[in-house]
Amino acid sequence: MAKAKIAVNGYGTIGKRVADAVKAQDDMEIIGVSKTRPNYEAIVAQQLGYDIYAPAANLEAFEKAGVPTAGTIEEMVEKADLVVDCTPGGVGEQNKPMYEKAGVKAIWQGGESHPIAGFSFNAVCNYEQAIGRDLVRVVSCNTTALCRVIFPIDKELGVKKVRAILARRAADPNDVKKGPINAIVPDPAKLPSHHGPDVRSVLPNINITSAALKIPTTLMHVHTVNMELNTNCTAEDVKNILGSQSRIHFVGQGISSTAEIIEFARDIGRPRNDMWENCIWPESVTVTENELYFFQAVHQESIVVPENVDAIRAMMELESDGAKSIEKTNKALGL
Amino acid sequence: MAKAKIAVNGYGTIGKRVADAVKAQDDMEIIGVSKTRPNYEAIVAQQLGYDIYAPAANLEAFEKAGVPTAGTIEEMVEKADLVVDCTPGGVGEQNKPMYEKAGVKAIWQGGESHPIAGFSFNAVCNYEQAIGRDLVRVVSCNTTALCRVIFPIDKELGVKKVRAILARRAADPNDVKKGPINAIVPDPAKLPSHHGPDVRSVLPNINITSAALKIPTTLMHVHTVNMELNTNCTAEDVKNILGSQSRIHFVGQGISSTAEIIEFARDIGRPRNDMWENCIWPESVTVTENELYFFQAVHQESIVVPENVDAIRAMMELESDGAKSIEKTNKALGL
């Protein structure tokens, strides 16, 4: 079978990771990535052997910078079966007519809102419903992390209500423009935040509230998750359920913070020190008065990457079984 | 009436503030403060005119450093009616025999555990029960902030359950030794944290859980507070209840973070930019499904300072009405 031809529109934090993850699969290939400016990330794309496409108006700038392009973004889109849009939140929506005109399938990220695709994706929750779809939105890092824990617990124990409090990293490690550097910012101050309720774009029957604080760190988010359960259970029951999920990782052995999680990822040779899994502190898993509490750390740069691969596989009808796709993606990534 | 003679044992973050706050009252006076080493804070105490006392073994070091002392800590304690112990958590307990031997009343801070005094104090919650007591523990900054909001809401609406998630400043502004500088630390990872349950040392009938994260900031803590209520109400009702409390301040007018709260305190001329009040974002006050949510910022260095003054007034029987003591303390401080 011919490999599915994938274009990545927007080779930034998520796009460069999705490109590498797609490249690692045997049933899909990258036919090009786009950059708007010939910056250091474009040089990296060039060194990694990706064909680079750019806006027509900027092709000359790329040429001058010594970064050859293969054409315009429209030309890239024409060659693809499916475009993964990894442009900044809000920009993706402007690209929709281009994808429709070219008749390609498209994936957007969580920075866009649900209606852009009419379908919000998480591999364990709704892979089968994405099969053959033309338009899909892969939900954000925070929503992905919440869906991964809520879905299996709801399935086994029944979730009455979720309250998620997010301590959000202020900026990604390469982003020198954002703050705060010494403050806590309610984000937003008006409650609830959109993060928890966005879970309902994937799991519409879950009752969930959330609040978020932006804090001075770049490495990971940390969620304090509270779930009211319908079934009497112990912390061990919950750990068994979560432990059966391939994209949930229990941290331990002296890992006391997000810094040590990233150090662990560096030490085991993960590309760009990525942690694709939810990282849960097992000692935090507590059940009291039929309520579950735990802490999970979320690597905002990479957690959605395997989800994008699975979304491609469903949309391109390369695999009809979600569990098999997840396993195939994980194996190719080394997860 | 002679002023109550107060000694402050431990002239650090809390002690130096308590000393100034006591000095501002007309019914009590500072007879001395203690320092273990002749560092910059001892120089400040000297410049502010406080008599400085030190451990017998260190008197010579003070002399050599050009910081004259008035005697040993034991001598200071002998001269006092009441000692406010502001030594680091755990050290206060070692001082108890000294206070008992001298027959003085004593206040400890929240770093010590409840049994040290057998009574944990918050001015709005239990002033009257502290009247005439010899030993009192003023609860920590986080517990103080939680008690101040839980007590009036429980009184008016009935509180079924509280879930408090604390984003804790990693270190005070002058503390260069502590971290993290770029990480989030579950503190502790094992749930629940002690912070919420410590509220029960003041309000034993409140059902409360808590979780805490240590984060890279020095300015203030931020609490995300969730309360299940027994009474149907609106956000306006809650704002009216909290707004009637003199030590609760609603932030607004473009204050989006803890940094701007501290800038506000600097601009209005607060000593050491102290915010003695709970700082609540009014737009965060939300009631849904009989559950209240809001964000409050807590200035860890100063929030317990007025509480210490009120505790002194109750223990020394200078005022029998808690509300009047609170008003008197506030007025003298300029709150």
Side-chain angles (χ1 to χ4, degrees):
Chain A
M1 195 165 76
K3 292 183 178 184
K5 295 179 191 310
I6 311 301
V8 172
N9 192 11
Y11 188 79
T13 300
I14 300 297
K16 61 191 179 186
R17 288 174 165 84
V18 168
D20 290 355
V22 167
K23 194 182 184 182
Q25 313 298 317
D26 64 11
D27 51 354
M28 51 190 83
E29 64 181 329
I30 294 292
I31 59 98
V33 303
S34 83
K35 279 299 290 177
T36 49
R37 280 177 301 277
N39 70 355
Y40 72 96
E41 285 175 315
I43 306 285
V44 170
Q46 185 185 9
Q47 289 183 3
L48 293 178
Y50 293 119
D51 283 349
I52 301 171
Y53 294 81
N58 299 1
L59 291 179
E60 204 177 310
F62 277 78
E63 202 171 324
K64 276 186 187 164
V67 182
T69 60
T72 67
I73 294 175
E74 287 78 3
E75 287 167 347
M76 175 182 79
V77 169
E78 287 289 345
K79 292 178 191 165
D81 297 320
L82 184 153
V83 181
V84 185
D85 189 304
C86 300
T87 58
V91 177
E93 192 165 6
Q94 299 165 28
N95 295 327
K96 191 173 179 181
M98 174 171 57
Y99 306 147
E100 288 175 332
K101 192 178 163 200
V104 294
K105 290 175 186 273
I107 292 175
W108 286 273
Q109 307 303 313
E112 306 301 321
S113 56
H114 176 77
I116 196 169
F119 182 81
S120 292
F121 178 87
N122 174 266
V124 295
C125 299
N126 60 10
Y127 180 95
E128 280 78 9
Q129 294 167 51
I131 290 172
R133 277 189 184 270
D134 290 330
L135 308 177
V136 161
R137 166 182 177 256
V138 171
V139 292
S140 71
C141 51
N142 285 307
T143 307
T144 295
L146 289 168
C147 285
R148 284 185 186 167
V149 294
I150 293 169
F151 180 79
I153 292 175
D154 185 47
K155 194 173 156 191
E156 299 294 329
L157 302 169
V159 168
K160 192 173 159 199
K161 184 164 194 172
V162 182
R163 300 175 191 87
I165 312 295
L166 287 60
R168 301 183 56 211
R169 65 85 181 92
D172 286 337
N174 68 343
D175 184 349
V176 296
K177 290 181 182 169
K178 286 186 187 162
I181 58 170
N182 185 19
I184 305 174
V185 186
D187 186 33
K190 193 167 159 45
L191 291 174
S193 74
H194 75 279
H195 306 92
D198 190 43
V199 165
R200 301 180 62 164
S201 69
V202 178
L203 301 169
N205 297 323
I206 294 295
N207 183 4
I208 181 167
T209 67
S210 69
L213 297 170
K214 195 161 61 177
I215 63 172
T217 184
T218 63
L219 302 177
M220 303 180 89
H221 306 301
V222 173
H223 297 178
T224 308
V225 182
N226 165 246
M227 292 191 205
E228 285 185 49
L229 305 174
N230 289 329
T231 311
N232 257 317
C233 68
T234 66
E236 281 311 307
D237 296 334
V238 173
K239 280 190 253 190
N240 288 337
I241 293 166
L242 296 177
S244 72
Q245 298 289 311
S246 64
R247 291 180 184 164
I248 290 177
H249 173 75
F250 285 112
V251 299
Q253 289 80 44
I255 287 184
S256 70
S257 74
T258 54
E260 291 141 324
I261 294 173
I262 296 301
E263 185 74 357
F264 173 76
R266 296 166 76 193
D267 285 344
I268 63 172
R270 285 285 180 89
R272 300 183 176 91
N273 60 246
D274 287 352
M275 281 304 287
W276 300 296
E277 306 98 324
N278 294 28
C279 294
I280 296 181
W281 276 270
E283 62 268 48
S284 74
V285 178
T286 308
V287 178
T288 172
E289 297 181 340
N290 259 18
E291 290 190 33
L292 167 64
Y293 293 86
F294 62 89
F295 290 122
Q296 66 178 356
V298 178
H299 189 219
Q300 75 280 352
E301 298 173 291
S302 72
I303 190 173
V304 300
V305 170
E307 307 294 331
N308 273 274
V309 173
D310 293 323
I312 293 169
R313 201 167 277 126
M315 294 164 75
M316 296 303 298
E317 301 182 59
L318 303 172
E319 171 60 60
S320 60
D321 182 336
K324 284 189 184 156
S325 175
I326 289 171
E327 193 184 336
K328 187 172 172 68
T329 302
N330 291 355
K331 194 173 171 192
L333 290 177
L335 182 154
Chain B
M1 195 164 78
K3 292 183 177 186
K5 295 179 191 310
I6 311 302
V8 172
N9 192 12
Y11 189 79
T13 299
I14 300 297
K16 61 191 178 187
R17 288 173 165 85
V18 168
D20 291 355
V22 167
K23 194 183 183 182
Q25 313 298 317
D26 64 11
D27 52 353
M28 52 189 81
E29 65 180 329
I30 294 293
I31 59 97
V33 302
S34 81
K35 280 298 290 177
T36 48
R37 279 176 300 278
N39 72 354
Y40 71 95
E41 285 174 315
I43 306 285
V44 168
Q46 185 184 11
Q47 289 183 3
L48 292 178
Y50 293 119
D51 283 349
I52 301 171
Y53 294 81
N58 299 3
L59 292 178
E60 201 177 313
F62 277 78
E63 200 172 326
K64 276 186 187 164
V67 182
T69 60
T72 67
I73 295 174
E74 286 78 3
E75 287 167 344
M76 175 181 79
V77 169
E78 287 288 345
K79 291 178 192 165
D81 297 319
L82 185 153
V83 181
V84 186
D85 189 303
C86 300
T87 56
V91 177
E93 192 166 5
Q94 300 166 25
N95 295 327
K96 192 173 178 181
M98 173 172 57
Y99 307 148
E100 289 176 330
K101 190 179 163 200
V104 293
K105 291 174 185 272
I107 292 175
W108 286 273
Q109 307 303 312
E112 306 302 322
S113 56
H114 177 78
I116 196 170
F119 182 81
S120 292
F121 178 87
N122 174 265
V124 295
C125 299
N126 60 10
Y127 180 95
E128 281 78 9
Q129 295 167 50
I131 291 173
R133 276 190 185 271
D134 290 331
L135 308 177
V136 161
R137 167 182 176 254
V138 171
V139 291
S140 72
C141 52
N142 285 308
T143 306
T144 295
L146 290 168
C147 286
R148 283 185 187 168
V149 293
I150 293 169
F151 180 79
I153 293 174
D154 186 46
K155 195 173 156 191
E156 300 292 330
L157 301 169
V159 169
K160 193 174 159 196
K161 185 165 192 170
V162 181
R163 300 175 190 85
I165 312 296
L166 286 60
R168 299 185 57 211
R169 65 86 181 94
D172 286 337
N174 68 342
D175 185 349
V176 296
K177 290 182 185 169
K178 287 187 188 162
I181 59 170
N182 185 20
I184 305 174
V185 186
D187 186 33
K190 190 166 160 47
L191 290 174
S193 73
H194 75 279
H195 306 93
D198 190 43
V199 165
R200 300 179 64 164
S201 69
V202 178
L203 300 169
N205 297 322
I206 295 295
N207 184 4
I208 180 167
T209 67
S210 69
L213 297 170
K214 195 160 60 176
I215 63 172
T217 184
T218 63
L219 302 178
M220 302 179 88
H221 307 301
V222 173
H223 297 178
T224 308
V225 182
N226 166 245
M227 292 191 205
E228 286 187 48
L229 304 175
N230 289 330
T231 310
N232 257 316
C233 67
T234 66
E236 281 311 307
D237 296 333
V238 172
K239 280 189 250 190
N240 287 336
I241 293 165
L242 296 177
S244 72
Q245 298 289 311
S246 65
R247 290 179 185 165
I248 290 178
H249 173 75
F250 285 113
V251 299
Q253 289 82 45
I255 287 184
S256 70
S257 74
T258 54
E260 291 142 323
I261 294 173
I262 297 300
E263 186 73 357
F264 173 76
R266 296 167 76 194
D267 286 344
I268 63 171
R270 285 285 179 88
R272 299 183 175 90
N273 60 247
D274 287 352
M275 282 301 288
W276 299 296
E277 306 98 325
N278 293 30
C279 294
I280 296 182
W281 276 271
E283 62 268 48
S284 74
V285 178
T286 308
V287 178
T288 174
E289 297 179 340
N290 260 18
E291 289 191 33
L292 166 65
Y293 293 86
F294 62 89
F295 289 123
Q296 65 177 357
V298 178
H299 189 220
Q300 75 281 353
E301 298 173 289
S302 73
I303 190 173
V304 300
V305 170
E307 307 295 331
N308 273 274
V309 173
D310 292 324
I312 293 170
R313 200 168 277 127
M315 295 164 74
M316 295 303 298
E317 301 182 62
L318 302 172
E319 171 59 62
S320 59
D321 181 337
K324 283 189 186 160
S325 176
I326 289 172
E327 193 184 334
K328 186 174 172 70
T329 302
N330 291 354
K331 195 174 171 191
L333 290 177
L335 182 154

